[in-house]
Amino acid sequence: MTDEIPANHPHYIFKNLKRIERWVINIVYFSVWRKYVKTAKLKINERKYFEHYFKELHVRYYLKVYQGGNYITVDRLILNFLLSRVNENIKILLSSANPYNMAGFVFAIRSQIEINALANKYVSDKSYHEKFIKLNEDRAKVTELDTVININTLVSKMDQSFIPYRKIYDALSLFLHPNPSALGFYAQYRDSKYPDSFGHPIIKKYFDASVSINPESEQWFNKNLWNFLTLLEHFILIFDEINHKFYVDDADKEHHHIFVQATFMNKHQKEILKAINEAASNGEDQQEAFNNIYKKIINEYKLKK
């Protein structure tokens, strides 16, 4: 497993972009994200995976968030939030891999599990966002207003997938909080070799690292790194299933349509006015001329896609 490299699957869409679009994303990767990948304690194939996922996430940001009219919608805000959190999770995890930082490393993986669970909820419940954006987050007022669904509930529902989400999440929680599991990890406690005492972590003169690098710790970090990569793969699959538009209510939907129409008219103003003026000059129906040019432009958009 640790020797594999990213394969060419249909849901990987970076390769399908135009050359100039791929060039832009490559520039961003080399100027911004590559430093995280290079400085982390990674094998060559692991670096390729992180480069691959950075680019696949950027493609989805480019297509789903960046492209569109010069207006903000709930739809773009939600998708931007999901992609931005995943981007942050990757950077936190990579920054925690050299030197080893268990708290940051575990936080990134747990956060990714939670983002996957929320994205999955958006897929299975297409109206969930209508309540989610307005829900009360104050647990003290739980009897007064609806509150957000506990993330543990959403994570538990993910266990229907091929990844043991609940098991991984619970195991990581033991390490993130100041539990005996965390104490044993930092002290390298080994039941089999040292049944009556703690192990012997490397105590360094300079306090520049918190986790001792030894076969046990490296195995633990490597296993969970590949768990994280699996979660990224699953996130992309879930994210691509979110193909419906998000509206808070009917008024928001109506405002969105007005913005779309205004942007469309502004962009194609010359073509539309030319068609209407030519119809007026020839004594033809101007409304019909508008309808025809409108359909023509829409069909051209469809052909491009």
Side-chain angles (χ1 to χ4, degrees):
M1 179 178 182
T2 56
D3 293 328
E4 64 183 41
I5 59 175
N8 185 17
H9 296 299
H11 61 280
Y12 296 159
I13 55 179
F14 174 75
K15 61 182 182 297
N16 297 331
L17 292 180
K18 298 176 182 177
R19 184 177 179 182
I20 185 64
E21 294 170 332
R22 294 198 307 272
W23 180 79
V24 170
I25 292 178
N26 277 323
I27 289 294
V28 174
Y29 173 77
F30 278 98
S31 62
V32 179
W33 296 325
R34 186 168 175 260
K35 61 185 178 183
Y36 292 97
V37 179
K38 282 195 67 178
T39 57
K41 187 179 176 64
L42 299 174
K43 297 178 180 178
I44 294 177
N45 65 313
E46 292 167 347
R47 291 180 181 178
K48 290 184 180 296
Y49 265 103
F50 279 105
E51 176 182 353
H52 166 74
Y53 286 124
F54 267 129
K55 292 179 180 179
E56 287 296 324
L57 289 171
H58 194 158
V59 172
R60 284 155 178 82
Y61 172 82
Y62 174 71
L63 296 176
K64 295 284 189 176
V65 179
Y66 176 77
Q67 283 193 344
N70 188 26
Y71 50 84
I72 302 298
T73 62
V74 173
D75 183 66
R76 293 163 80 174
L77 289 175
I78 289 178
L79 297 180
N80 180 59
F81 160 68
L82 294 174
L83 292 170
S84 296
R85 282 298 300 270
V86 177
N87 190 355
E88 289 179 345
N89 290 338
I90 297 175
K91 289 189 288 187
I92 291 172
L93 183 128
L94 291 175
S95 299
S96 302
N98 186 25
Y100 286 145
N101 178 335
M102 191 189 72
F105 195 85
V106 171
F107 172 84
I109 304 174
R110 288 176 81 252
S111 176
Q112 190 57 49
I113 290 175
E114 294 169 352
I115 287 296
N116 283 18
L118 178 60
N120 187 65
K121 178 64 175 176
Y122 285 143
V123 172
S124 62
D125 185 351
K126 290 181 170 55
S127 63
Y128 179 63
H129 68 280
E130 296 175 12
K131 292 193 303 180
F132 182 82
I133 294 176
K134 300 178 180 179
L135 284 177
N136 166 51
E137 296 183 90
D138 188 348
R139 297 294 177 183
K141 299 179 180 179
V142 67
T143 57
E144 299 179 21
L145 297 168
D146 287 334
T147 58
V148 295
I149 297 176
N150 191 295
I151 190 62
N152 285 288
T153 302
L154 296 181
V155 171
S156 295
K157 292 182 179 180
M158 294 296 289
D159 260 357
Q160 300 173 5
S161 66
F162 57 90
I163 303 172
Y165 272 90
R166 184 81 256 175
K167 181 179 179 181
I168 298 174
Y169 190 74
D170 289 344
L172 292 172
S173 297
L174 293 176
F175 286 100
L176 185 62
H177 303 304
N179 295 318
S181 295
L183 173 63
F185 186 89
Y186 280 98
Q188 296 300 303
Y189 181 70
R190 308 179 184 88
D191 285 328
S192 59
K193 296 182 180 179
Y194 305 99
D196 299 320
S197 65
F198 287 99
H200 300 279
I202 300 173
I203 304 299
K204 302 177 66 176
K205 181 178 181 180
Y206 297 100
F207 190 42
D208 60 343
S210 55
V211 178
S212 297
I213 299 176
N214 54 44
E216 286 80 7
S217 61
E218 288 196 328
Q219 182 181 23
W220 185 89
F221 274 93
N222 187 258
K223 180 188 74 172
N224 283 288
L225 182 142
W226 281 94
N227 283 341
F228 182 73
L229 289 172
T230 303
L231 294 172
L232 292 181
E233 178 75 13
H234 197 202
F235 171 79
I236 287 176
L237 292 170
I238 297 171
F239 185 86
D240 288 349
E241 289 187 56
I242 305 176
N243 50 25
H244 54 281
K245 291 294 182 182
F246 294 96
Y247 300 109
V248 177
D249 48 36
D250 289 340
D252 179 53
K253 186 176 182 178
E254 180 63 26
H255 290 157
H256 179 219
H257 286 167
I258 291 173
F259 279 128
V260 170
Q261 289 294 334
T263 301
F264 179 88
M265 294 294 291
N266 182 62
K267 184 175 182 179
H268 300 283
Q269 183 179 22
K270 291 183 179 180
E271 299 168 75
I272 293 172
L273 288 177
K274 180 181 178 182
I276 293 175
N277 289 333
E278 288 180 352
S281 299
N282 298 329
E284 299 172 352
D285 191 312
Q286 296 179 34
Q287 181 63 49
E288 184 178 354
F290 171 82
N291 293 338
N292 290 336
I293 190 63
Y294 185 90
K295 290 178 182 178
K296 179 183 176 183
I297 296 171
I298 293 297
N299 288 332
E300 288 175 354
Y301 272 114
K302 291 180 179 179
L303 289 174
K304 289 179 181 178
K305 292 184 177 180

